Amino acid sequence: ISELTGSQFETPTYFLASFNPLHVQDALWAFISGINAQYGAVALLLIFLGFAVAWRRDWRTTLVLTIACTASLLFLVVYPNESDVGRYRLLASWIAVPLLGALTPRLRDGLTGGLTYAALLAFLAVNAGLTFESQRAFLSHASGEGGRWVIDAVRPFVPPGSVLVTDWLDATSLAYGAYVDGSLPGRIVVSDDQLRADLYRHWTNGRRVFILVNPRDVPQIPGARDVASLDAYHELFEVQP
């Protein structure tokens, strides 16, 4: 329950605070600044114009879509424990697509309509190609990036049937190896930022239990044996019965 609700980071409190109407102006500014950064000032003006056009066509659909895509911005402006706020802006930037599309004139049949449709598709295809070309760096990653390395690093030290406890960041990668692609089979991955060694000691009755920590934050764990140093930020310990 603690993990799912985020209560150890006071997330429920900030979630309730996001319903405070005083934060609406902050959320609106986050939307404006985010859209401007993604699409530019001209597109920002066109998006607001597209909102007005879409509202006139179908205000119910427009209202639902707008709320669904921007509600997370209210949480964004009140929650201080998140360094990567871009994830909360993602849906808000996507809403630009249908709102810009609302400005597209309804095409008619016939030669004129067909040519206009073809020209529109060509414009969008060229623009998409140029965008992908300019952002190719986002689609390629160095071999050392990501969580694959930590999966490979712990595999020799943590045998199948063992429990591996770590914080949520590395637990995500390790759980992928244990439960998705099978590169870390037979291990039980536990995400716990509190490192309750006394609790883990009870688990040693039936399994070997390992803890992966940042040695700069946790240089030693009482009742645990230092097994290996994976790198400067990952130290592996084994809990003793």
Side-chain angles (χ1 to χ4, degrees):
I1 292 175
S2 176
E3 190 72 22
L4 293 177
T5 61
S7 58
Q8 69 268 45
F9 303 114
E10 299 184 77
T11 305
T13 301
Y14 291 112
F15 176 72
L16 293 176
S18 67
F19 290 97
N20 187 335
L22 295 177
H23 297 301
V24 171
Q25 61 180 359
D26 296 328
L28 179 60
W29 177 248
F31 175 77
I32 292 174
S33 60
I35 293 296
N36 182 61
Q38 290 288 328
Y39 302 100
V42 174
L44 178 62
L45 296 176
L46 292 176
I47 287 168
F48 280 104
L49 181 59
F51 174 81
V53 173
W55 187 273
R56 290 186 60 185
R57 289 181 182 174
D58 187 344
W59 68 269
R60 292 180 179 86
T61 301
T62 304
L63 178 63
V64 171
L65 182 64
T66 302
I67 293 176
C69 290
T70 60
S72 61
L73 295 178
L74 289 168
F75 184 68
L76 160 77
V77 298
V78 300
Y79 189 56
N81 297 329
E82 177 59 70
S83 58
D84 183 11
V85 297
R87 67 188 70 185
Y88 295 106
R89 298 178 187 264
L90 189 58
L91 286 177
S93 64
W94 286 357
I95 197 178
V97 177
L99 293 183
L100 286 172
L103 296 175
T104 305
R106 295 183 177 179
L107 303 178
R108 299 178 179 178
D109 296 332
L111 180 61
T112 303
L115 291 176
T116 305
Y117 185 70
L120 179 61
L121 286 180
F123 171 77
L124 293 175
V126 170
N127 188 64
L130 293 175
T131 302
F132 273 107
E133 179 61 27
S134 64
Q135 304 293 340
R136 289 182 63 182
F138 288 104
L139 305 178
S140 60
H141 299 279
S143 58
E145 291 183 353
R148 177 60 55 192
W149 80 269
V150 74
I151 297 174
D152 297 334
V154 303
R155 187 186 299 114
F157 303 102
V158 181
S162 302
V163 176
L164 179 56
V165 183
T166 188
D167 62 14
W168 68 270
L169 188 59
D170 285 314
T172 304
S173 302
L174 295 169
Y176 185 87
Y179 310 131
V180 180
D181 72 348
S183 58
L184 200 64
R187 285 77 165 181
I188 299 173
V189 179
V190 176
S191 174
D192 192 355
D193 295 328
Q194 298 180 16
L195 296 179
R196 294 164 289 186
D198 292 338
L199 171 64
Y200 312 147
R201 192 168 293 110
H202 292 290
W203 300 351
T204 60
N205 293 330
R207 300 178 184 274
R208 296 179 67 181
V209 180
F210 296 85
I211 303 176
L212 183 64
V213 298
N214 183 343
R216 298 170 184 241
D217 298 330
V218 186
Q220 190 57 253
I221 299 177
R225 177 177 63 90
D226 195 337
V227 175
S229 180
L230 306 184
D231 71 358
Y233 300 95
H234 294 81
E235 196 77 17
L236 186 65
F237 293 87
E238 182 176 5
V239 179
Q240 301 300 298

